Amino acid sequence: MLINKKKRIQYLGFNDFWFIVIGILVLSFITDLLFNNSFSSYPFETAVITWGVSLFFTICDWFTIRAVIILLRKKYPDFNDDSKRVMLLFFAIISIVILVDLLGNKLVSYIFDQDRSPISNFRVLIPIIIISMMTMAIYEAVYYNIRLKKSIREEEQAKRIIVQAQLDTLRNQAQPHFLFNTLNTLRDIIDQNSKEEAKQFVDKLSDVYRFILESGNTNLTVLRDELKFAKAYIHIQSERFGDNLKLNWNIQETSLEAMIVPMSLQLLLENAIKHNVISKAKPLIINVEVKGNHLLVDNKIQSKSTQIPSTKVGLKNIEKRYTLISGKSITIKNDGNRFVVSLPLLKLSDQKNNYANTDH
């Protein structure tokens, strides 16, 4: 376990090689200083031998306790087992220090042919036990911190997966919604116009769907691309409504690199077309402009006498995606005369940290 770096990191949370080397040397000198003060009390050679005995005991204590730590972490790896594991480690340290002292003193007595009674050194054991616990507490603190960071990281990844699923659902929801409405438009064109015009409509529709396929899997898109898509959509709708549908575009060049949620502008235009009368007597005029850090879509309310059943997708879809991605909200104003929706213009840095990497 000492040689295998990968296993040291796996069970201890960090590569403890230098911690062991420095820790053992420091603790052996501290132990010798506290109980023998060998280098002040004895000749140098005797002092080195006496310190060597302290070093021997420190090595035995350290590696035995360390092995128990690894064993306990293998057996009780979960956060729920922390109390049990620490309690067992506490008793293990006491037992190991006493056992090492008992066996070590017998070995030292045999080697140096001296009587070293473990009981006479009992006063030494309590401080050694305390020092050992303090040292091993560093292992536990590092281990706890590493596992806590890992747990937080896994929780963030789980959140990211959940949000990705939610965004995928919303994106997949918006696209059939668009298809549903464009098919209704195609049906009206077939009823009212020639087959040739219907064919042209289908060709343009295929161009629009190419854009959806290319950009539909991203959380944010630049306003320039969204405008291109929205204008293609309006071009399709013009096949049905002609000059009765008018768009006023007031977008500064400096705003074109700002970002918005994909298909959000198109859904707002679709919403306006769907719920308002569009005729020669009452043309629908939609204003699209940038004010400050918001894209505004504004139209006069021209409610239809017979309301088309709503799928309740458009505005809710945009609201949910803005909230999930950036935490920012869209603003909806309806004073009975005009309907205005304000979309925040975003940057890549506006994405929530948890969700910034959810693009496919």
Side-chain angles (χ1 to χ4, degrees):
M1 189 63 73
L2 179 64
I3 298 173
N4 193 318
K5 179 181 176 182
K6 187 176 179 181
K7 287 189 176 180
R8 286 202 303 271
I9 295 173
Q10 179 183 351
Y11 294 112
L12 297 171
F14 69 110
N15 182 5
D16 69 334
F17 177 79
W18 288 110
F19 181 58
I20 291 173
V21 173
I22 295 171
I24 287 175
L25 288 174
V26 170
L27 288 182
S28 63
F29 275 112
I30 290 174
T31 303
D32 181 75
L33 181 65
L34 288 174
F35 305 112
N36 297 312
N37 198 11
S38 302
F39 291 94
S40 297
S41 305
Y42 308 117
F44 181 76
E45 288 184 3
T46 306
V48 169
I49 294 171
T50 307
W51 166 74
V53 173
S54 296
L55 178 65
F56 169 73
F57 278 91
T58 303
I59 290 172
C60 291
D61 285 335
W62 189 297
F63 280 104
T64 308
I65 295 171
R66 182 177 177 274
V68 171
I69 286 176
I70 293 171
L71 181 65
L72 290 173
R73 288 179 184 179
K74 286 180 180 179
K75 191 170 183 179
Y76 304 108
D78 298 330
F79 276 108
N80 296 335
D81 298 326
D82 279 358
S83 299
K84 185 190 295 184
R85 192 183 66 254
V86 171
M87 189 61 67
L88 288 172
L89 179 61
F90 173 78
F91 288 114
I93 290 173
I94 295 173
S95 303
I96 289 167
V97 170
I98 293 172
L99 188 63
V100 167
D101 183 72
L102 180 66
L103 297 178
N105 274 300
K106 285 187 176 181
L107 180 63
V108 170
S109 296
Y110 176 78
I111 293 173
F112 293 99
D113 195 22
Q114 292 178 356
D115 249 358
R116 288 176 61 95
S117 172
I119 298 174
S120 67
N121 290 331
F122 186 75
R123 62 185 177 81
V124 178
L125 294 183
I126 300 300
I128 290 176
I129 288 170
I130 293 171
I131 292 171
S132 298
M133 286 182 178
M134 291 172 63
T135 305
M136 296 306 140
I138 297 174
Y139 273 115
E140 282 300 311
V142 171
Y143 185 58
Y144 181 83
N145 187 51
I146 294 293
R147 285 188 307 150
L148 185 61
K149 286 182 179 179
K150 183 182 177 182
S151 177
I152 292 171
R153 195 161 53 243
E154 288 173 350
E155 186 178 347
E156 293 300 321
Q157 289 171 349
K159 285 181 182 177
R160 197 172 290 131
I161 290 168
I162 291 169
V163 171
Q164 181 63 61
Q166 290 175 317
L167 288 172
D168 286 343
T169 300
L170 290 168
R171 283 195 283 252
N172 293 334
Q173 185 185 58
Q175 293 171 15
H177 177 258
F178 172 72
L179 177 61
F180 172 78
N181 287 288
T182 50
L183 288 177
N184 281 339
T185 302
L186 178 58
R187 182 192 61 193
D188 292 340
I189 290 174
I190 292 170
D191 289 341
Q192 300 170 16
N193 303 85
S194 66
K195 289 183 179 180
E196 191 59 37
E197 288 176 318
K199 287 179 182 178
Q200 290 176 0
F201 177 89
V202 171
D203 290 339
K204 290 170 184 174
L205 184 60
S206 68
D207 291 337
V208 169
Y209 263 96
R210 185 178 297 112
F211 176 86
I212 293 174
L213 290 172
E214 289 173 355
S215 64
N217 285 332
T218 56
N219 292 336
L220 293 175
T221 186
V222 291
L223 182 57
R224 185 189 304 277
D225 292 341
E226 181 70 10
L227 282 172
K228 193 184 298 181
F229 171 51
K231 287 178 179 180
Y233 169 74
I234 290 299
H235 189 75
I236 288 173
Q237 293 301 324
S238 296
E239 293 289 329
R240 178 182 178 188
F241 299 107
D243 294 335
N244 299 329
L245 175 63
K246 298 179 181 178
L247 269 288
N248 293 327
W249 306 95
N250 184 17
I251 312 291
Q252 300 88 354
E253 184 71 26
T254 53
S255 302
L256 293 179
E257 297 306 314
M259 308 197 85
I260 64 172
V261 169
M263 293 185 71
S264 55
L265 175 56
Q266 180 273 325
L267 282 170
L268 292 180
L269 298 175
E270 186 178 307
N271 193 61
I273 292 168
K274 181 178 179 181
H275 294 290
N276 290 281
V277 172
I278 305 175
S279 65
K280 192 170 184 180
K282 284 188 172 182
L284 179 64
I285 301 172
I286 305 174
N287 302 308
V288 182
E289 61 180 329
V290 171
K291 280 190 178 180
N293 292 321
H294 290 79
L295 178 69
L296 274 60
V297 180
D298 167 31
N299 65 272
K300 184 180 178 182
I301 297 173
Q302 301 173 174
S303 300
K304 296 178 178 179
S305 55
T306 304
Q307 287 293 324
I308 300 172
S310 175
T311 55
K312 304 290 186 184
V313 170
L315 289 174
K316 287 183 179 179
N317 183 289
I318 299 168
E319 283 180 311
K320 286 180 182 177
R321 284 197 284 161
Y322 260 98
T323 301
L324 284 172
I325 293 167
S326 69
K328 297 186 178 182
S329 302
I330 69 173
T331 304
I332 303 170
K333 292 182 181 178
N334 182 352
D335 60 6
N337 180 45
R338 301 199 71 82
F339 191 83
V340 184
V341 180
S342 174
L343 302 177
L345 294 177
L346 306 173
K347 305 174 196 173
L348 281 175
S349 58
D350 288 326
Q351 294 184 97
K352 290 182 181 178
N353 290 335
N354 293 342
Y355 315 143
N357 298 321
T358 54
D359 287 352
H360 289 298

